[in-house]
Amino acid sequence: MRTVGSSTAIDVGRALGDVVAIDSSLAIDGVVRGHVFAVDSRITLGARAVVLGSITVNRGRLTIRPGAVLPKMIYLNDAGFLGPNGEAIDFGETLTLADGDTEVSLDKTVVSTVSVELMKVVLPFDRFVPRSGTSIEDLERWHPGLDLELRRSVRRPSEMTMGGIARLSFVSEKVRGAFQRGYRGRSGTVLVSGIQLQDAASAASLWSQLHAAGERAELRLSLKSGLGDGAHWFFKRKDRFCMLWQRSSWLIAVETR
């Protein structure tokens, strides 16, 4: 499909091959089996949009609503990115999200901002960090909300798998506690895992070991960024999205599918 100088919608239930938009406004809620290529256009991926090829936006703006199924590759050339809460991020250079790696020619602040916005697109709730003095026991009453129903809760597991990339066994005296909880909602499942180490150095060491395990795994998408004294890692493996973050003595993971 080609649209030039017009406002067009690909509705739910409609499937197309390649889509080209020039000086247009294009809203996608159906399926694009090929590629989306846009010049001087405003592209919106709705909550039910599916793009199987790639997305290239040359100038203009890309908006992604929570729930959209994203392709392996997204190119934004001198374009703007609009997050799910309507906040605009303009960076004026090229951001390439490739299968298994990330090639970015942006400064660290912009990279962190863009990666966090992409995390928000597919993850159901924001990152949280336990306050100073919080213990594993203090988090037993924590619930993510969003109409998610608790289906499984494991306190002090002897081992757990995080992000599908590493199986952890808790035999070290440096581990103060851990938990893993599974939730189910209308659009899928959520697994929340938390580990509290005895200090920030121990948590950073575990973070490095997880990174090493991730390098050996087959990841479709991988974004890493540092924010303040913490660190984020967002990736997709098979049919699940995962966000891991480490801050102070805590390491927490949220997985969705």
Side-chain angles (χ1 to χ4, degrees):
M1 185 187 80
R2 183 177 65 179
T3 173
V4 180
S6 62
S7 180
T8 306
I10 301 174
D11 297 327
V12 175
R14 188 180 180 190
L16 297 173
D18 295 328
V19 175
V20 177
I22 301 174
D23 193 24
S24 297
S25 177
L26 176 63
I28 302 174
D29 282 291
V31 177
V32 177
R33 300 188 184 279
H35 306 279
V36 175
F37 185 85
V39 179
D40 293 324
S41 297
R42 297 179 299 279
I43 308 299
T44 300
L45 301 185
R48 297 188 179 182
V50 177
V51 179
L52 300 179
S54 65
I55 298 174
T56 300
V57 180
N58 294 290
R59 301 185 300 275
R61 187 176 301 281
L62 173 66
T63 302
I64 303 176
R65 304 296 185 197
V69 177
L70 303 178
K72 295 181 180 180
M73 304 181 73
I74 299 176
Y75 302 98
L76 303 180
N77 304 314
D78 194 19
F81 179 84
L82 196 64
N85 298 320
E87 59 274 44
I89 305 168
D90 295 296
F91 38 86
E93 292 189 47
T94 301
L95 169 67
T96 303
L97 305 181
D99 186 4
D101 65 349
T102 305
E103 299 176 5
V104 181
S105 59
L106 306 173
D107 64 71
K108 183 176 180 180
T109 302
V110 175
V111 173
S112 297
T113 303
V114 172
S115 60
V116 168
E117 292 308 317
L118 287 169
M119 292 174 194
K120 290 179 179 180
V121 170
V122 294
L123 293 168
F125 48 88
D126 290 336
R127 179 191 84 149
F128 76 97
V129 177
R131 296 179 179 179
S132 177
T134 301
S135 66
I136 288 288
E137 289 74 18
D138 294 332
L139 293 182
E140 290 183 356
R141 295 183 296 272
W142 176 83
H143 191 283
L146 299 173
D147 297 324
L148 292 170
E149 178 184 353
L150 179 64
R151 291 295 185 91
R152 177 174 175 268
S153 179
V154 180
R155 296 175 56 189
R156 302 181 181 87
S158 58
E159 63 177 27
M160 69 166 64
T161 300
M162 298 191 78
I165 61 172
R167 182 180 295 275
L168 307 178
S169 298
F170 302 112
V171 296
S172 172
E173 60 182 13
K174 296 181 179 181
V175 179
R176 291 184 176 179
F179 69 87
Q180 197 162 51
R181 300 190 193 118
Y183 301 86
R184 179 173 292 277
R186 287 174 293 179
S187 59
T189 61
V190 179
L191 181 66
V192 181
S193 306
I195 305 172
Q196 184 182 28
L197 285 299
Q198 70 176 14
D199 51 39
S202 300
S205 176
L206 179 56
W207 180 260
S208 298
Q209 294 177 50
L210 288 172
H211 273 191
E215 291 177 355
R216 297 189 295 270
E218 295 182 359
L219 304 180
R220 290 188 56 187
L221 172 67
S222 179
L223 282 165
K224 298 176 184 178
S225 61
L227 296 175
D229 61 346
H232 282 94
W233 184 16
F234 171 63
F235 59 85
K236 183 177 183 182
R237 184 172 188 271
K238 295 183 178 179
D239 61 345
R240 75 176 66 185
F241 290 93
C242 180
M243 178 168 66
L244 274 110
W245 63 95
Q246 179 263 322
R247 188 172 185 183
S248 185
S249 62
W250 290 91
L251 195 146
I252 299 175
V254 175
E255 304 171 46
T256 65
R257 65 166 57 177

